[in-house]
């Protein structure tokens, strides 16, 4: 029973629910519902489906996502980025009888992938999609969305078939003489109402007011006679049940799109959850959020929904308007269902141009100017990743290429930076081996002692650079090489083989190698590779503490060897012990 409750967080919320929270949750639910009504219809248009399906998606996904997700405030439902991805993947099925069947199959597959990732505890995978990729993709998506709505704003019909965003814009301008001035007027009117409502009072639902006023104008003035495109009748006030056809061939065609949408959806949901949790101090379970998103999309697929994710706008509204528990978002879905049931007959008068105006404002807000400026100023690599992702989103024939390109560039830049091994050459200060400072790129030729400090994570990607730098140290002809590992956080077999080859060359020339400050985990690997036996256990020190605690007998033996082998005059005539030398900092 306890394990069942763990996977259905709503049960725990209801068991511990406080009566004083209900008022705040209801207020937040009503506010979110007002925002969600025009937003959901607009996102449905972006996805290329009837606006009614946007409302279905909000109602079902926000209820299921809130019931099974981890966050108390995340509002799941249609989002701009996911809707744009859906439009791209479903464009090949436009005009076909199986369009909606394939859409709901895609939605189920997205949910199934997300659910499986949650069950398999793969919540940390979203960390591999960098913030720069998301900023770039979102900015590019904003541009594409605006470009895609230009013809609806102008009231220009485009030929059926798959058109890229650039092709839509070019085709629109080729038919600019067909602009419907009434549609353009309503679209601009909606944009102005949306913008200025927020300037008057940030709590005013500008988008909803713009659409309501547009509907009133259409009904009162009979503007539909001017060949306006209207949203049309909502098929059903209640989300209708749809049986999904699990056709293997179609699933194979949709899998790539489903995987991309699933990953982007999870990144959105977890990022938003963590952003709000930073203010509420709630601990977010990424795996549970994966499960919640998966259940929402799988369940929504049977109730005429398209894939969705967490919405930052609606989640922020929930939090800012006092929502205290996940019940606030569940109630918002119920409120929209009630509104849809009673007001559905009036939806047919909503002009597509007005919805296009709302989408234009949304598209502009998607470009996070502050985040873009921060990335451009902060780091060159992040700036490259963001710009590549952004322009690939706008120009690539498939949106998934933008995500893959961003991730690939991120990895390549990381590998380039980590492909250089950090090897520092140290030298005594005024001949005092207790005080070591950065030396020239290579120790002076014929110096008796070469202190080489290795740092960072030594792995196969940096092994070539490590070999080159160790060769430079070898060419100095020093009699003793002290390899300091105190800055090494990890070392794989490839890197240790490079070090082993270096040691072999040194010993073959009858020179000596000392290794100090080795972490226990790396020491164990060295033992397995017989590096310790090669150097001699007495010449390997796990830490500075071990060196200091070494027996006086071992130190005397090492000092005697130094006196015999080294010309101490080169060290200023100071006869320091080996234990002191290798522990210098």
């Amino acid at each position: 029973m306890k394990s069942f409750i763990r996977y259905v967080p709503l049960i725990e919320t209801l068991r511990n629910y406080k009566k004083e929270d209900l008022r705040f949750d209801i207020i937040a639910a009503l506010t979110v519902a007002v925002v969600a009504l025009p937003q959901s219809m607009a996102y449905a248009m972006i996805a290329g489906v009837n606006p009614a399906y946007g409302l279905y998606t909000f109602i079902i996904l926000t209820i299921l996502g809130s019931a099974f997700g981890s966050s108390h405030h995340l509002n799941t439902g249609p989002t701009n980025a996911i809707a744009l991805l859906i439009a791209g993947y479903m464009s090949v099925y436009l005009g076909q009888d199986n369009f909606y069947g394939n859409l709901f199959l895609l939605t189920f597959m997205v949910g199934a992938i997300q659910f499986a990732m949650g069950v398999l505890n793969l919540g940390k995978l979203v960390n591999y999609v960098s913030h720069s990729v998301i900023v770039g993709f979102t900015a590019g998506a904003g541009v594409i969305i605006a470009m895609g709505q230009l013809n609806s704003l102008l009231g220009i019909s485009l030929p059926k078939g798959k058109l890229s965003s650039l092709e839509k814009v070019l085709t629109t301008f080729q038919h600019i003489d067909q602009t419907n001035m009434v549609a353009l007027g309503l679209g601009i009117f909606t944009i102005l109402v949306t913008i200025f409502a927020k300037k008057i009072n940030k709590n005013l639902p500008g988008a909803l007011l713009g659409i309501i006023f547009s509907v009133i104008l259409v009904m009162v003035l009979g503007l539909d006679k001017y060949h306006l495109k209207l949203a049309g009748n909502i098929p059903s006030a209640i989300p209708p049940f749809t049986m999904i056809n699990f056709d293997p061939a179609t699933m194979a065609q949709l899998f790539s799109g489903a995987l991309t949408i699933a990953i982007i959806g999870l990144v959105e949901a977890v990022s938003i959850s963590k952003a709000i949790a930073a203010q509420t101090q709630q601990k977010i379970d990424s795996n549970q959020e994966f499960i919640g998103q998966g259940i929402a999309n799988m369940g929504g697929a049977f109730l005429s929904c398209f894939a969705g994710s967490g919405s930052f706008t609606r989640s922020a509204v929930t939090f800012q308007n006092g929502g205290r528990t996940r019940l606030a978002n569940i109630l918002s879905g119920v409120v929209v269902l009630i509104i849809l049931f009673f007001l559905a007959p009036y939806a047919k008068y909503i002009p597509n141009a007005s919805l296009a105006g709302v989408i234009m404002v949304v598209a502009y807000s998607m470009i996070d100017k502050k985040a873009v400026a921060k990335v451009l100023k902060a780091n060159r690599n992040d700036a490259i990743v963001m710009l590549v992702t952004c322009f690939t989103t706008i120009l690539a024939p498939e949106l998934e290429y933008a995500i893959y390109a961003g991730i690939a560039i991120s990895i390549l830049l990381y590998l380039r930076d980590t492909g250089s091994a950090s090897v520092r050459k140290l030298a005594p200060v005024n001949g005092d081996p207790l005080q070591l400072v950065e030396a020239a790129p290579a120790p002076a030729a014929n110096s008796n002692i070469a202190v080489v400090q290795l740092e960072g994570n030594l792995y196969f990607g940096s092994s070539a650079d490590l070999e080159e730098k160790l060769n430079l140290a070898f060419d100095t002809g020093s009699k003793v090489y002290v390899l300091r590992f105190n800055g090494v956080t990890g070392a794989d077999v490839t890197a240790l083989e490079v070090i082993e080859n270096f040691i072999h060359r040194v010993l073959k020339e009858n020179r000596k190698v000392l290794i100090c400050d080795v972490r226990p985990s790396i020491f164990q690997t060295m033992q397995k590779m017989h590096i310790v036996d090669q150097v001699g256990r007495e010449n390997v020190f796990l830490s500075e503490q071990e060196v200091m605690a070494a027996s006086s007998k071992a130190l005397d033996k090492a000092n005697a060897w130094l006196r015999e082998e080294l010309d101490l005059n080169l060290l200023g005539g100071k006869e320091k012990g080996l234990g002191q030398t290798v522990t210098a900092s």
Side-chain angles (χ1 to χ4, degrees):
M1 183 64 180
K2 288 184 178 180
S3 60
F4 176 75
I5 294 176
R6 174 190 169 192
Y7 291 111
V8 188
L10 176 62
I11 296 177
E12 186 68 22
T13 299
L14 293 176
R15 288 175 59 181
N16 300 313
Y17 197 77
K18 300 176 182 177
K19 291 182 180 179
E20 56 266 28
D21 291 339
L22 182 61
R23 180 171 65 90
F24 294 97
D25 285 344
I26 290 176
I27 293 173
L30 292 172
T31 309
V32 171
V34 168
V35 173
L37 278 167
Q39 199 181 67
S40 300
M41 289 189 288
Y43 292 160
M45 284 187 63
I46 293 174
V49 300
N50 187 293
Y53 292 97
L55 296 172
Y56 298 158
T57 301
F58 173 80
I59 293 168
I60 302 302
L61 265 61
T62 194
I63 292 174
L64 292 178
S66 298
F68 292 94
S70 174
S71 173
H72 294 163
H73 297 92
L74 182 70
N75 186 285
T76 302
T79 69
N80 39 36
I82 300 300
L84 185 62
L85 286 168
I86 291 171
Y89 290 116
M90 293 302 300
S91 60
V92 295
Y93 301 104
L94 280 174
Q96 299 182 15
D97 294 337
N98 62 347
F99 175 83
Y100 281 101
N102 290 343
L103 173 65
F104 302 142
L105 175 59
L106 175 68
T107 303
F108 181 87
M109 291 175 64
V110 169
I113 292 171
Q114 293 174 330
F115 182 82
M117 292 175 71
V119 171
L120 295 174
N121 295 321
L122 299 179
K124 291 185 179 180
L125 282 181
V126 296
N127 296 332
Y128 292 96
V129 182
S130 72
H131 177 66
S132 300
V133 171
I134 298 302
V135 172
F137 174 74
T138 306
V143 174
I144 286 183
I145 288 171
M147 292 164 63
Q149 294 301 312
L150 184 60
N151 68 295
S152 295
L153 186 69
L154 298 174
I156 297 174
S157 298
L158 295 180
K160 292 184 178 180
K162 184 178 180 180
L163 295 175
S164 68
S165 298
L166 292 177
E167 288 173 335
K168 284 184 179 180
V169 173
L170 291 175
T171 305
T172 299
F173 280 112
Q174 288 172 359
H175 298 82
I176 197 70
D177 58 318
Q178 299 176 13
T179 298
N180 186 321
M181 300 308 295
V182 175
L184 178 60
L186 286 172
I188 293 176
F189 171 75
T190 304
I191 291 174
L192 293 176
V193 171
T194 303
I195 294 174
F196 285 107
K198 290 296 181 184
K199 292 185 179 295
I200 295 172
N201 188 322
K202 66 178 182 179
N203 293 321
L204 283 176
L208 182 62
L209 291 175
I211 288 178
I212 289 174
F213 292 154
S214 296
V215 169
I216 292 174
L217 289 173
V218 171
M219 293 178 64
V220 173
L221 301 179
L223 297 181
D224 51 328
K225 63 186 177 183
Y226 293 102
H227 307 291
L228 285 177
K229 283 191 173 182
L230 303 178
N233 292 319
I234 291 180
S236 170
I238 299 176
F241 177 81
T242 304
M243 190 61 213
I244 299 173
N245 179 21
F246 294 99
D247 178 55
T250 306
M251 292 176 69
Q253 295 173 2
L254 294 172
F255 179 77
S256 176
L259 179 63
T260 302
I261 293 172
I263 292 174
I264 297 302
L266 292 176
V267 171
E268 277 192 328
V270 174
S271 299
I272 295 167
S273 297
K274 289 184 176 180
I276 296 178
Q279 301 181 57
T280 63
Q281 306 304 312
Q282 182 196 355
K283 184 178 180 181
I284 298 297
D285 182 343
S286 296
N287 292 314
Q288 183 62 44
E289 198 57 65
F290 279 26
I291 291 173
Q293 294 295 308
I295 291 175
N297 282 311
M298 285 193 295
F302 290 98
L303 292 169
S304 304
C305 302
F306 56 84
S309 180
S311 164
F312 184 80
T313 301
R314 298 192 300 271
S315 301
V317 169
T318 301
F319 173 65
Q320 292 169 1
N321 285 273
R324 293 187 175 181
T325 72
R326 65 184 70 249
L327 204 60
N329 283 319
I330 292 175
L331 290 174
S332 70
V334 175
V335 170
V336 170
L337 177 61
I338 294 172
I339 293 174
L340 181 59
F341 190 81
F342 288 103
L343 299 181
Y346 299 98
K348 65 181 180 181
Y349 294 106
I350 299 175
N352 282 3
S354 294
L355 288 173
V358 172
I359 294 172
M360 287 283 193
V361 176
V362 169
Y364 178 77
S365 66
M366 284 180 68
I367 304 174
D368 191 336
K369 276 71 70 177
K370 291 183 179 179
V372 170
K374 184 185 294 185
V375 172
L376 288 174
K377 293 178 181 178
N379 184 282
R380 180 172 174 269
N381 285 356
D382 285 330
I384 292 173
V385 170
M386 180 188 71
L387 293 174
V388 168
T389 306
C390 179
F391 286 112
T392 306
T393 302
I394 297 171
L395 301 174
E398 301 292 346
L399 284 174
E400 65 183 280
Y401 297 159
I403 305 300
Y404 298 154
I407 295 174
I409 293 294
S410 299
I411 294 173
L412 288 174
L413 291 175
Y414 170 78
L415 291 177
R416 186 197 67 178
D417 290 345
T418 59
S420 176
S422 180
V423 179
R424 298 171 59 202
K425 282 77 176 181
L426 305 179
V429 177
N430 298 323
D432 185 354
L434 283 175
Q435 301 181 43
L436 298 175
V437 295
E438 194 83 21
N446 299 320
S447 62
N448 279 342
I449 297 180
V451 181
V452 181
Q453 179 157 306
L454 307 177
E455 297 176 344
N457 183 21
L458 304 179
Y459 76 115
F460 64 91
S462 61
S463 59
D465 188 59
L466 174 64
E467 183 177 22
E468 182 179 342
K469 290 175 179 176
L470 288 178
N471 286 339
L472 288 175
F474 179 83
D475 292 339
T476 61
S478 301
K479 293 184 179 180
V480 178
Y481 292 92
V482 180
L483 299 181
R484 304 182 72 201
F485 278 70
N486 63 329
V488 177
T489 56
D492 69 2
V493 173
T494 306
L496 289 176
E497 280 188 347
V498 170
I499 295 172
E500 181 182 18
N501 291 335
F502 170 76
I503 294 172
H504 178 73
R505 291 180 64 192
V506 171
L507 297 180
K508 190 176 180 181
E509 295 287 332
N510 293 319
R511 308 181 201 177
K512 295 291 181 180
V513 176
L514 305 175
I515 300 176
C516 66
D517 300 337
V518 184
R519 295 191 176 201
S521 58
I522 299 176
F523 175 76
Q524 291 175 5
T525 307
M526 284 182 166
Q527 281 186 313
K528 294 176 182 178
M529 294 181 66
H530 304 294
I531 295 176
V532 174
D533 295 336
Q534 188 179 17
V535 176
R537 177 62 184 88
E538 70 278 7
N539 294 321
V540 179
F541 303 94
L542 296 187
S543 65
E544 294 185 3
Q545 288 73 23
E546 181 180 327
V547 176
M548 298 302 294
S551 67
S552 58
K553 180 178 179 180
L555 289 176
D556 290 342
K557 181 179 179 181
N559 284 332
W561 180 85
L562 274 177
R563 291 190 183 95
E564 180 181 346
E565 296 290 336
L566 303 179
D567 181 7
L568 295 178
N569 291 328
L570 292 177
L571 296 178
K574 296 182 179 182
E575 299 184 3
K576 300 289 183 180
L578 173 62
Q580 295 170 308
T581 301
V582 297
T583 59
S585 58

